[in-house]
Amino acid sequence: MTLEDFTEFADEADESAASGRDDESSTAVGDGDVDPNADSDRPAPNAGSDRPAGEPVPDADSGSFTAYDVEPAGDDRGLGVVSVSQGLRVAEEDDETTLKAFVTTGNREAVRLGTYLLVPYPDGERLFCRITGLEYAQEFRSDDATEIHARRQMRRDDFAERDYKFMAELEPMSVIYGDGDDMKRRMTDRVPKPGAIVEEAADDAEIKTGLKIPDDGIFLGHLSVGGEKVRTAAEPPTVDYRVQDDYADGDPLAFRHTLVAGGTGSGKTHASKNVLRQYLDSDRTYPTGDGRESQMAVVQFDPQDEYAQMHDDNPALDADTARRLEREGIAHGGHDDTVALVPRVANATYPGEGHRAERVEFTIPFSLAQDMPWLVAGSGLNENQYPALLTLLNRFFRDYGDSGTYRQFLSYLDDPALKEELDESGRVHEATFDAVKRRVRGIPGGVFDQDAKPITELDHTLVRPGGLSVIPTYHLPTSRQKEIVVLAVAGLLVDDKLSNDPKSDRIEETPLLIGMDEAHNFLSDADNVQARKVVQTFTEAAKQGRKERLGLFLITQDPQDIAESVFKQVNTKIVLNLGDEDAIQSVNIPSNLAGKVPYMEKGQMVVYSPDNSEPVELIGLSTCVTRHGR
């Protein structure tokens, strides 16, 4: 408690007594609870006076003396200074680092957890750090947990900042050195000087260098802290965050896979469209195996009939917003080369009312089961029954060739002579034969061999350099039909990408991004043969994607349900609002950012891409760059 505290309280009490008020304030002093002059120096010379500081003030003992203004001359720079009062240390182990700054009174309301700061060294290098803790500490040796202090505060409308120290705990992130285009970063290996000025980072280049954010690449959003965009002195004043997709800096992160995780209403489809549109920009190309440069093809599986809208312009994107996006190098506008490849299924009609993209119908030929037997395995086959299915499929296609249909296969299984032959030869026990037959008949009808062109003959439509192919499944009646369609087309793409003898040169040669919404429905760990085979296929795709120019773009609201073997291959994680604790833990982002996830507004996100930058908080574009919504 300061001398001013006693003076102010005593003055209030004196005024109360002089006016004859008998309230709690006068009682508190009059009863002897506290003596304003006890164990203290005399009141400040100007206390209770309008006399400006610096003028002579009469004194009872010495006649007069001069009081000086305590405010230093000149203008303050920065937020505060590095303090050594509570230790000053940087170490290889984070928990052994002690770095704090004293924040001056006028700056205290502006600082937030996560704010990025710069601390200069004497030789011109800068320590780039962020605020990880804020605290008030006592300025004077006094007890502010007292009745007299509490009641005094209850009678005031303001808070006496001068009574406390405001300390910011800092986490060193890197040391920045050099200038302009030569600016570089290294690990923190120096301790700043006591009293060094701490300033909020306000230079775009310094912030990007400190966080290791590339200048070019796929735009995701603008850097933010606490839900507010980081502002700089540059034009535009925001800091754009991008993921690198240039082979000059290592493998493009598109081929090291991306996960977009967010709950319902978090804006994950909006964000995903914005990111996918960047990959389809006509200026973005990737080298192919024969040395050419080619645009990327995107194949997007669409359970809610939303992504074919990317063909159309967004009517809500006005001219001013468009010009701002162009200045920042952000692709926008409908993508003309968008085709909706619609699976033809019996008793199902695709409305397709939300877009103007071209539509092409296709069917899943049963011949794909030769390479993907798990399409007809169902979820109930065990380790003994699955090899039996392989035996039956091999014999069937040996007899019928690639033109063999699902209906013919069902009739094939009805042959009692086949069942007897396989049982007697010891290749397939009759009970196992019957079990396989039941599972195969359990496949929903009307998926295979419908009246449309087989997807195997549409490879040049499915995969087009610079083209977006959307596979809508919203109109399919059952989840099993949706699963068969998605896994059949995705499996076809993956097999040709990884095969030494691909059936489609177009698929094999074109850089390809496979987008899978509601990925948890198709790539989950489960205790059955089909799930294990599917996960094994996509795990291999994820591992080899870098050299085969194949990327996975997985979108989900349940990231905890995606198989761990696939999840571990994902390099870039874009996390929007998630309310489920298991889901948040599964994405494995740093704890300081994980704690923010349940509170993020629509469009806010955390990006964790270790090979691209430090983990950061972003705000995505508020307006979708293509059409979005009904």
Side-chain angles (χ1 to χ4, degrees), residues 261-290:
T264 302
S266 64
K268 64 179 180 295
T269 303
H270 176 131
S272 297
K273 286 183 177 181
N274 284 344
V275 175
L276 293 174
R277 181 64 182 85
Q278 307 312 305
Y279 281 116
L280 293 166
D281 186 10
S282 59
D283 293 333
R284 199 166 299 284
T285 61
Y286 304 86
T288 62
D290 57 6

Side-chain angles (χ1 to χ4, degrees), residues 282-301:
S282 59
D283 293 333
R284 199 166 299 284
T285 61
Y286 304 86
T288 62
D290 57 6
R292 295 179 298 108
E293 289 282 328
S294 172
Q295 286 185 259
M296 175 183 288
V298 176
V299 177
Q300 175 67 41
F301 295 97

Side-chain angles (χ1 to χ4, degrees), residues 10-31:
D11 289 345
E12 293 173 358
D14 291 342
E15 291 174 5
S16 176
S19 62
R21 293 199 309 267
D22 186 17
D23 57 14
E24 293 183 10
S25 176
S26 59
T27 303
V29 177
D31 288 347

Side-chain angles (χ1 to χ4, degrees), residues 74-116:
D75 296 326
D76 291 343
R77 293 184 295 115
L79 297 176
V81 295
V82 172
S83 170
V84 75
S85 63
Q86 299 181 35
L88 181 58
R89 170 186 171 89
V90 295
E92 292 182 347
E93 299 296 331
D94 291 342
D95 56 0
E96 295 182 7
T97 294
T98 303
L99 183 60
K100 292 190 176 185
F102 174 85
V103 181
T104 56
T105 303
N107 291 310
R108 295 177 181 182
E109 290 299 318
V111 297
R112 296 288 185 274
L113 288 177
T115 298
Y116 299 109

Side-chain angles (χ1 to χ4, degrees), residues 525-552:
D525 269 327
D527 191 20
N528 61 70
V529 176
Q530 181 196 21
R532 288 197 292 274
K533 296 296 182 181
V534 170
V535 167
Q536 180 181 345
T537 297
F538 282 89
T539 299
E540 194 64 23
K543 288 181 178 179
Q544 296 191 37
R546 296 164 63 178
K547 66 178 183 179
E548 303 298 342
R549 299 173 303 284
L550 169 65
L552 301 180

